[in-house]
Structure formats: structure tokens, C-alpha cells
Amino acid sequence: MTLELHTQRLRLTPLTGDDAQALFSYRRLPEVTRFQNFVPAGVADAEAFIASVQGRDLGASDQWCQLAVRLRETDELVGDVGVQRMSHGAKQAEIGFTVAPSHQRRGLAMEAVTALLGHLFGELDLHRVTASVDPENVGSCALLERLGMRREAHHVRSYWFRGAWVDDVVYAMLRTEWSNARP
Ligand SMILES: CC(C)(COP(=O)(O)OP(=O)(O)OC[C@H]1O[C@@H](n2cnc3c(N)ncnc32)[C@H](O)[C@@H]1OP(=O)(O)O)[C@@H](O)C(=O)NCCC(=O)NCCS
């Protein structure tokens, strides 16, 4: 994936092998892994993860594409965002996001995901974007609501996660909603 998005403070670019140490340093933290499947045991896991997503095409369906979120000023990796297109041709995608705890609550996720949604609804002309979160993931739910996404489903004990059935909340936004909010 050669996509590159720019915001006031951030650059969203493909992850590279050089990001492994920085990715591991925040992706291993308990507050980051609490609601996520990917839990790297070491830098080698981060390297393998990056290698597995490298070169993926945002147009292809049913595979997660991952973008680095870097500070423009220093090039520091401060997080990552993911996109998975749903079945080919459906013009729908699911998103995910992570910001390193040392950089949270500075509006960086808001800035990165807003740019991502702009690209998905703009250049890629998608019809609908969703995000799936544990309702106990208060920060993510608040971010999605702040982005203007609708809490449209609450599935009860629908997701098997680390040995237990947990609830899953689906947030969604249509392109018309995105456009109407930005006349
Ligand atoms: C969710 C996450 C990406 C938010 O990143 P962030 O950069 O701190 O978010 P922002 O600073 O852009 O916050 C934007 C808004 O979201 C809401 N928000 C973000 N984190 C919040 C928290 N912990 N509690 C309550 N509201 C929160 C607020 O409304 C905030 O705006 P405000 O700070 O002006 O009040 C980050 O907490 C994270 O990486 N969490 C762990 C990974 C994770 O669970 N990812 C989702 C998996 S589905």
C-alpha cells in the first residue's frame, strides 16, 4: 500500500521494518492490548506483523491494511490505524486505531481517523464505514462518537475473546452522513 495521508500534525504512511521497535514499545502495553487481539511478545512479533501487512492493497477485501501514524515534526511513530475492506465491491470497510499512551488525549486519534475517513469516503468513494468495539472500551467509544459515528448495534456476548464471550458494539457512518456534516 503506497497510500500517504497528511494532516496538520501527522503523516499516515505504510509501516516499515524500521518501525518494529517503536510499534512493539506501545503495542505491548496492557492498556493498549486490553481490547485487542494482537499482543506482541517481542520485537520479532512486531517485525512479523509489519512484514505480514506490507504491500497490502486497500482496495482488496477481507484483509487488514495497517498505516503508521507519525508526527510530521519528528517522524516519530505514535500510533497506527487499520482498514479492512469488506467483501469485494461492497464499498464498505471496517477501521481500527491505536495511539501510544504517551501521546493519548492530544487529539491525535481524532486527527488521524478523520483523515482516514476523508480518504475512504472521498478518494475511495466508500458507502459505509464501521468500527467494532467492546462497550467497556470507553476511550474508543468516545472517540467514535466524537467522530460522528452512530452506535448502531450492541451485540450481546457475541465475540469470543480470551476465553470468554464479550459484548460487541458496532459504530457506523454512511458517506451521506460524512458529507452532510461537512457542507
Ligand atoms: C482510543 C484511542 C485510539 C484514542 O486515542 P487518543 O489519541 O487519545 O484520542 P484523542 O485524543 O484524539 O481523543 C478524541 C476524543 O475521544 C474521546 N476520548 C479519547 N480517549 C478517551 C478516554 N480514555 N476516555 C474518554 N474519552 C476519550 C474524547 O472525547 C476525546 O476528545 P477530548 O480529549 O477533546 O475530550 C486510544 O485510547 C487507544 O489507542 N486505546 C487503546 C487501543 C484500542 O483499544 N483501540 C481500539 C480497538 S477497537
Side-chain angles (χ1 to χ4, degrees), residues 31-32 35-36 97-99 103-110 132-133 137-140 142-143 146:
E31 60 268 49
V32 167
F35 298 106
Q36 307 210 80
F97 36 74
T98 302
V99 168
H103 290 278
Q104 288 180 8
R105 300 311 295 262
R106 295 173 50 203
L108 296 181
M110 189 75 191
S132 174
V133 294
N137 191 343
V138 175
S140 293
L143 168 69
R146 189 83 193 278

